[in-house]
Amino acid sequence: MPAKYEWPNPDGLYCKSYCPLHPEVHGIVFAIVDELCDAFQTDAFHAGMDEVFYIGEDKCPRCGGRDKAALFADEVRTIATHLREKNRELWIWGDRLIDGKVTGLGMWEASMNNTARAVDLIPKDVVICDWHYERPDLTAIYFAMKGLRVVTCPYNRPLVAEAQMADLYTFRAHATPEMKDKFYGAMQTVWSGAERFLDSYYGVMPKTPSTPRPQDAGKDPVLTFKTMYKKIDELKKTSN
Ligand SMILES: [Zn+2]
């Protein structure tokens, strides 16, 4: 790590990774995981593990030269195993498990750094949060067919969320009993503070109003959330 970490860094990234093979890293990681689970009284922990660009770096004396998919999967397993000992389950983002080249989903929403094969190496009780904000990509089927529970995650485009909910209901309706429960649900993502989202949801004027940027026209996490629920109500009425 450089002494002063600036975004974007020379690689055009803001991301940091820890070395999964550092002998002291899990003492710290497990303590944080346990403390968060205890504080929130939860039996599910979302570890993130998205946008991991730095893994198996040549310069790392422990990881250099190793299989990046195996390194990633081993870390998922290590955290999942720790959580399972306390009857808790692991949730992670799905992007490192999708091939970014083949799917055209690119380096953020999917993996261009050879981690995608980890989808076959991680424990089957890990829940995958399948985030797609710009299009209703059909990747939930991919995860479900790998035997993994998958949660579809929209963000700020109401029409995308609407299509994702319609797809979720279609996937379940057309699935075998084995596959049906793998389509675990949907989760709204919010990439601001919770306070701003809740104020906007309840129509409270923000203390620090922001000027909308032109590139954000038509994007609105609150409207997306409301649209998503409206669509779910609609779908519930027309499905069994
Ligand atoms: Zn390392």
Side-chain angles (χ1 to χ4, degrees), residues 8 19 149:
C19 172
R149 283 170 296 165

Side-chain angles (χ1 to χ4, degrees), residues 19-21 60 62-63:
C19 172
L21 299 185
C60 178
R62 294 168 294 271
C63 303

Side-chain angles (χ1 to χ4, degrees), residues 55-75:
I55 186 166
E57 293 291 294
D58 290 339
K59 274 187 277 183
C60 178
R62 294 168 294 271
C63 303
R66 286 185 194 264
D67 180 337
K68 293 182 183 191
L71 274 173
F72 185 84
D74 286 348
E75 185 58 17

Side-chain angles (χ1 to χ4, degrees), residues 159-184:
L159 292 177
V160 172
E162 207 171 55
Q164 284 168 324
M165 295 313 103
D167 287 342
L168 176 59
Y169 274 73
T170 303
F171 297 160
R172 283 180 178 161
H174 294 178
T176 59
E178 287 79 0
M179 289 264 293
K180 195 171 191 149
D181 294 340
K182 300 291 186 264
F183 300 105
Y184 205 36

Side-chain angles (χ1 to χ4, degrees), residues 28 36 45 53 58 70 72 87 91 96 107-108 122-123 129 133 145 152-153 168 177 189 196 209 223:
I28 294 165
L36 284 167
F45 179 81
F53 298 112
D58 290 339
F72 185 84
N87 294 316
W91 293 34
R96 286 314 90 189
M107 64 177 276
W108 294 91
I122 63 171
C129 296
Y133 306 152
M145 288 188 73
T152 297
C153 303
L168 176 59
T189 69
R196 182 180 282 275
L223 185 60

